[in-house]
Amino acid sequence: MPTRIPETARKAAFALTASLALLATACTGQASSGADDDASKETTLTFWHAWSAPGEVKAVKDLVAGFEKGHPDIRVNVVGNMTDDKINQALRAGGSKAPDVISSFTTNNVGRFCSSGALVDLNPFFEKADIDPETTFPKAMNQYTQFEGDRCAVPLLGDAYGLYYNRTAFEKAGISGPPRTWSEFETVAKKLTIPQGDTYEQLGFMPNYHGWETTTEHYLGQFSPTYFDQDGRSTVATDPAVEAGLVLQKKLVDSLGGYRKLERYRAGLGDEWGPKHPFHTGQVAMQLDGEWRLGMALDAKPDFEIGVAPLPVPDDQADQYGKGYITGTIAGIAATSRKQNAAWELVKYMTTDTDAVVDFSNAIHNVPSTLAALKSPELKYDPRFKTFLDIAAHPNSSTSPASVNGGVYLSTLQQLGFDYESGKLKDLKDGLRKTAAQIDTDIAQAK
């Protein structure tokens, strides 16, 4: 299962952004304010997390049990199924019932968590423990857990995005292997598409942004955009990677039947999280998705062989094939906690202890979040899962950078994508200029 449900989490993230603004007056964000407790004395911590499926809840409890075994003086009260809204309210209110440690599926809110002081800067804790985050965590995960020098979060397993493909359909169409470049991808997608009147018997790939995981940021991960310059201003209008990504996606939409035909087909397909997902049923032959899809697809018992590969890259970046978009779960220490040293012991164990990270990854089938765990011989997985381990460790894999107002800039860019793919927006360059201006305005207002 995923460390976050992307579309649901994305909507929650944008709703959360406004309420997080209130945190600035409630939290100091200084590690020293609550880091004077003695972690060697008996204490009880409260840990809130968002996992809710029975197997995931058990995995979290087992993770915490491992910590308690090595730290007999620290007990942990574990509370699951906590949304970011609930976490936000508790971080703002503080008090004896508030969490000391939290985990969130929403990396988009790291910028707001850091800038508001809701979560403490962990840099002093890492330095004291003599742990170097740069050499401990994969590059993209290390990036999405900090904002403007404030490392208020730490990775707790991750998600890597790649390409799933129907090997049986590939063989039937005479395709020898997964495409590596975008031009190959377009050719393969068209070859796998079997029209049936005004619909499809089989669609090679669903490119529309309303599809399953085909968001602008997931596509653009293959183009390595900058998003912001060193002064924090939007580069979506000046970075050629953004325009290139949007143009190639639109070209794919047009070549596979056009926006309206694709949308009509999509409307009759199964949902993202059920057994009738169109990749499971063979209605769509290729799928952009995260590592969790493999287990879900296998559980659906499809009548074809599943293949997994990295998502293709632009033709002029062929030497970077193997990279992908990275996101994941984050963990942090509440600024309102009066037990921050003890809380750090829990966070450090869950996120940097190799055995703990490996066991947790094995239990919920997400990508390990340390470089050591990615290489551990104790990892247990379907051989195809290794594709996602390699994507996570790839030096050119990327993420969307943190922003002071959370993921609002991604929402703004996504809206541009909707308008462009549907034909509503005709002048992409002008649309990008207006989008960049809107992003800069929103950020300025959030400061």
Side-chain angles (χ1 to χ4, degrees), residues 4-15:
R4 66 185 184 121
I5 299 176
E7 183 62 26
T8 303
R10 190 157 42 250
K11 291 176 180 177
F14 302 142

Side-chain angles (χ1 to χ4, degrees), residues 15 34 43 84 98 111 138 170 199 238 261 333 376 381 412 433:
T43 191
D84 270 16
F170 268 53
T199 184
T238 55
K261 183 176 180 179
I333 298 174
S376 172
Y381 51 82
T412 304
R433 285 192 292 269

Side-chain angles (χ1 to χ4, degrees), residues 25 58 84 115 123-124 141-142 189 191 203 234 269 323 340 349 355 359 374 382 386 408 431 444:
T25 58
K58 180 181 183 301
D84 270 16
S115 61
N123 277 315
M141 296 184 190
N142 187 50
K191 196 170 185 178
L203 179 63
S234 175
L269 300 177
K323 68 180 178 179
Q340 291 178 14
Y349 173 82
D355 291 339
D359 289 345
L374 283 168
D382 182 292
K386 189 176 186 301
V408 172

Side-chain angles (χ1 to χ4, degrees), residues 9-23 83-89 91-92 104 106 108-110 112-113 405-408:
R10 190 157 42 250
K11 291 176 180 177
F14 302 142
L16 177 62
T17 299
S19 58
L20 274 171
L22 299 174
L23 284 167
T83 65
D84 270 16
D85 257 350
K86 293 177 181 177
I87 290 172
N88 166 50
Q89 292 170 13
L91 292 177
R92 186 169 67 246
S104 167
T106 314
N108 288 345
N109 279 323
V110 168
R112 178 60 75 183
F113 277 132
N405 62 350
V408 172

Side-chain angles (χ1 to χ4, degrees), residues 204-218:
F205 178 75
M206 173 54 74
N208 290 16
Y209 290 126
H210 282 295
W212 311 268
E213 302 298 337
T214 45
T215 64
T216 47
E217 66 262 34
H218 294 169

Side-chain angles (χ1 to χ4, degrees), residues 324-344:
Y325 183 83
I326 307 295
T327 184
T329 298
I330 59 169
I333 298 174
T336 54
S337 172
R338 309 310 303 176
K339 308 169 185 176
Q340 291 178 14
N341 286 322
W344 165 247

Side-chain angles (χ1 to χ4, degrees), residues 43 61 94 128 132 145 159 163 206 208 340-341 353 355:
T43 191
K61 289 183 177 178
K128 187 175 181 180
D132 181 4
T145 48
D159 293 325
L163 179 71
M206 173 54 74
N208 290 16
Q340 291 178 14
N341 286 322
D353 184 283
D355 291 339

